[in-house]
Amino acid sequence: MAADVQTGVVDTAWGQIPHSTHATAGIGSFTRSRVERIISLAAGLGSVLVGLQSFLTALGSTDERPGWHLALMVSVFGSLAVMILACIIGRGVRIAAGAFAMIYVLALAAWPIATAGIAPASLDEPWIWLPLNLATLAAVLAFPLPLQIVWTALTPLLFGIVRLIQVGFAQEYWLVVGLDVSFTLILGGVILTLGWLFRSMAVNVDETRARAVASYAQAAAADAAEQERVAVAALMHDSVLAALIAAERATTPRERTLAATMAREALTRLANTEQDDHEGTDEPWDAATLAAEIGEAARDLGVEVDVQRDIDPASPPIPGRVARALTLAATQAVANAVQHAGGAGLDVAVASHEGRVRVEVRDAGEGFDPDAVPDDRLGIRASIVARVAAVGGQTDLRTGPQGTVVRLSWQEAAA
């Protein structure tokens, strides 16, 4: 009983593992995205407190000349408010934070001009110093790591320079300004380090998760392949063996015809074993539809192929059974080219003239030895050769160091 429960849990877990590249595309950024959201939200809430203190201090400032006070407050606190809003709602954080970091530095650089000719009222720091580390925080939110380091180091130094210019490099201010610069450098370094640490941990977690999911997906694919081999073995035993026995025992023309029909159906079923949908209806296709279906199937495999067409408009339609077999066989050839040749030099061509249809799939891989393919690998034998043979077509496979060419052809029977 416990073994059954454990098996059910494992099967449920397998069923929830995404097995395609499209489904796993976002796995590699799962934790990083959430850490970024947490950082931006914490930055927004922290900026509210520091920004409010700075704003209230700036309201009573008399350091700036007339006209400069309002301009500096609007530019600094207006951009800060936009950054805080972006952090809270989680949209446009990088843009808003980058804008505030730039605007603050510009306001800081303009401080000596805004305060020219006005003596400071005391040794206390001006209001422009209070949001200095918010600019460092904004750089952590908006910029890559090298620029974050530059911003963290140079912004406090810029404040020290403009503050000394404001006070005329008076000796009594040197110690105070030095302490202010040191404090902001230390706090900015802490902010920078925490941001880097949390992001690095998130990236490591995402990479580990992605590797685990990829490993599970490979195991699931191997399990599916094993189940496919079991299904094919059962099919060989039931259908193909029955057809061979019927052929051996056939003594009359009617029995021989029946045995041939059984063999054809067995080959078709064998060729379609790994497909979700089988032969389908026999509604005729035209060659253009055949080319379009092959191109669409290739896109489903994750590759863009411009299917070359050499189609005679007067060419008769292709039976649906034949067209579907050619499409599935060509799709398998494309899948083999992608898997074993990396899709190098992949090229597909469809030609139709006077009742003869030819599909050609080329790649520029290193080729392979057909005789060295294990017997349990059915990609070529069943999915291509047997599938095309089941509808009366032929397969020509040529491979070598220059690449592989798979030619599928079908000729309409003479009336």
Side-chain angles (χ1 to χ4, degrees):
M1 181 66 180
D4 294 339
V5 173
Q6 183 178 5
T7 302
V9 172
V10 173
D11 291 341
T12 302
W14 279 124
Q16 297 186 17
I17 294 175
H19 297 155
S20 68
T21 55
H22 299 290
T24 58
I27 290 178
S29 59
F30 181 85
T31 305
R32 174 65 184 268
S33 299
R34 280 148 183 80
V35 167
E36 289 290 345
R37 180 68 186 117
I38 293 172
I39 291 176
S40 64
L41 188 59
L45 296 177
S47 298
V48 170
L49 299 178
V50 178
L52 183 60
Q53 178 188 4
S54 304
F55 180 77
L56 294 177
T57 303
L59 287 177
S61 174
T62 57
D63 289 338
E64 304 97 303
R65 293 188 300 170
W68 280 94
H69 180 67
L70 181 60
L72 289 176
M73 285 193 62
V74 170
S75 59
V76 172
F77 292 109
S79 59
L80 177 60
V82 172
M83 185 189 81
I84 292 174
L85 179 62
C87 289
I88 293 176
I89 66 176
R91 294 182 179 274
V93 175
R94 289 183 180 273
I95 297 176
F100 170 70
M102 295 292 296
I103 291 173
Y104 178 81
V105 168
L106 293 176
L108 194 59
W111 184 254
I113 302 174
T115 59
I118 300 178
S122 66
L123 294 176
D124 295 337
E125 300 84 359
W127 69 265
I128 195 72
W129 175 80
L130 295 176
L132 194 151
N133 280 124
L134 295 184
T136 300
L137 179 60
V140 171
L141 294 175
F143 302 145
L145 183 60
L147 197 55
Q148 295 175 26
I149 297 174
V150 171
W151 223 263
T152 302
L154 295 187
T155 305
L157 296 178
L158 177 61
F159 167 77
I161 294 173
V162 300
R163 177 61 170 165
L164 290 176
I165 293 175
Q166 176 192 2
V167 300
F169 293 92
Q171 186 174 0
E172 63 268 22
Y173 283 90
W174 281 81
L175 179 59
V176 176
V177 172
L179 292 175
D180 292 340
V181 171
S182 300
F183 176 78
T184 51
L185 279 173
I186 294 173
L187 184 56
V190 171
I191 295 173
L192 174 65
T193 302
L194 289 176
W196 170 81
L197 179 62
F198 289 144
R199 285 167 172 166
S200 298
M201 293 174 59
V203 169
N204 290 335
V205 170
D206 285 332
E207 290 178 351
T208 302
R209 179 187 292 109
R211 286 195 297 268
V213 172
S215 176
Y216 290 151
Q218 291 176 0
D223 180 69
E226 181 62 28
Q227 293 182 12
E228 177 185 348
R229 282 193 287 269
V230 172
V232 171
L235 176 64
M236 289 290 292
H237 181 274
D238 295 340
S239 301
V240 179
L241 185 59
L244 292 175
I245 293 174
E248 180 184 7
R249 296 178 178 178
T251 57
T252 65
R254 183 176 181 279
E255 291 176 345
R256 294 190 185 96
T257 301
L258 179 60
T261 302
M262 291 176 62
R264 184 180 298 109
E265 292 178 354
L267 286 172
T268 301
R269 291 176 59 195
L270 176 63
N272 287 319
T273 298
E274 78 282 2
Q275 297 297 325
D276 293 333
D277 41 10
H278 299 300
E279 201 174 335
T281 66
D282 206 32
E283 183 179 351
W285 294 19
D286 56 33
T289 302
L290 171 63
E293 287 292 326
I294 294 175
E296 182 65 27
R299 281 189 289 273
D300 290 340
L301 294 174
V303 293
E304 286 290 339
V305 178
D306 185 12
V307 180
Q308 302 180 17
R309 307 184 185 190
D310 181 13
I311 300 173
D312 183 0
S315 183
I318 310 167
R321 176 172 54 90
V322 175
R324 182 164 180 77
L326 293 176
T327 300
L328 295 175
T331 302
Q332 182 62 50
V334 171
N336 290 345
V338 173
Q339 180 179 359
H340 301 294
L346 182 59
D347 182 59
V348 181
V350 174
S352 178
H353 297 277
E354 298 180 352
R356 181 177 179 82
V357 181
R358 186 180 74 253
V359 180
E360 187 173 289
V361 179
R362 293 176 173 269
D363 68 64
E366 298 179 356
F368 63 96
D369 182 5
D371 296 332
V373 178
D375 293 337
D376 61 347
R377 300 298 295 272
L378 304 176
I380 296 177
R381 294 187 181 93
S383 298
I384 298 179
V385 177
R387 174 173 284 133
V388 176
V391 295
Q394 296 82 38
T395 301
D396 180 22
L397 174 64
R398 299 182 182 180
T399 182
Q402 289 75 32
T404 300
V405 180
V406 178
R407 293 189 181 94
L408 315 173
S409 60
W410 177 82
Q411 176 71 54
E412 184 180 25

